[in-house]
Amino acid sequence: CCAAAFVAKDGAKVYSAKGKVIGSLPLNTAVTVTAVKGDVCQVAAKGRTAYMLKADLACEKVETAADTAALRRRRRFSRSTTG
């Protein structure tokens, strides 16, 4: 895990220290990884500390279809105004 990570799948489960599911986080939510043990990361987000599976986290934001579409629109607008 990276020290600054992002949720890699929408609805990723968040666990208490006892392993109980206490909630979920949406895709690309920023979390701070404060400890790692095996496949589990201790994370801090929204002022709370909890646990997540390492597989549900990424070091960079996950690109979505909406991100790709917005990038294409910006590129088209840039070309139309410069040339």
Side-chain angles (χ1 to χ4, degrees), residues 19 26 29 32 34 44 49 52-53 57-58 63 67-68 74 76 78 81-82:
T29 299
T32 301
T34 54
T49 297
M52 295 184 72
L53 297 176
L57 299 172
E63 187 172 310
D67 295 335
T68 303
R74 282 195 299 268
R76 271 190 248 135
S78 177
T81 59
T82 59

Side-chain angles (χ1 to χ4, degrees), residues 3 11 14 18 32-33 46 55 67 69 73 78 83:
V14 179
K18 294 183 178 183
T32 301
V33 176
K46 299 181 181 182
D67 295 335
R73 283 192 299 275
S78 177

Side-chain angles (χ1 to χ4, degrees), residues 42-69:
Q42 181 181 32
V43 298
K46 299 181 181 182
R48 297 181 68 187
T49 297
Y51 298 83
M52 295 184 72
L53 297 176
K54 190 186 293 188
D56 290 341
L57 299 172
C59 293
E60 297 179 10
K61 283 188 173 185
V62 176
E63 187 172 310
T64 65
D67 295 335
T68 303

Side-chain angles (χ1 to χ4, degrees), residues 9-54:
K9 71 176 192 178
D10 197 39
K13 292 179 182 175
V14 179
Y15 301 88
S16 70
K18 294 183 178 183
K20 180 181 175 187
V21 175
I22 57 173
S24 63
L25 290 174
L27 179 68
N28 289 329
T29 299
V31 298
T32 301
V33 176
T34 54
V36 180
K37 186 173 184 178
D39 291 334
V40 178
C41 298
Q42 181 181 32
V43 298
K46 299 181 181 182
R48 297 181 68 187
T49 297
Y51 298 83
M52 295 184 72
L53 297 176
K54 190 186 293 188

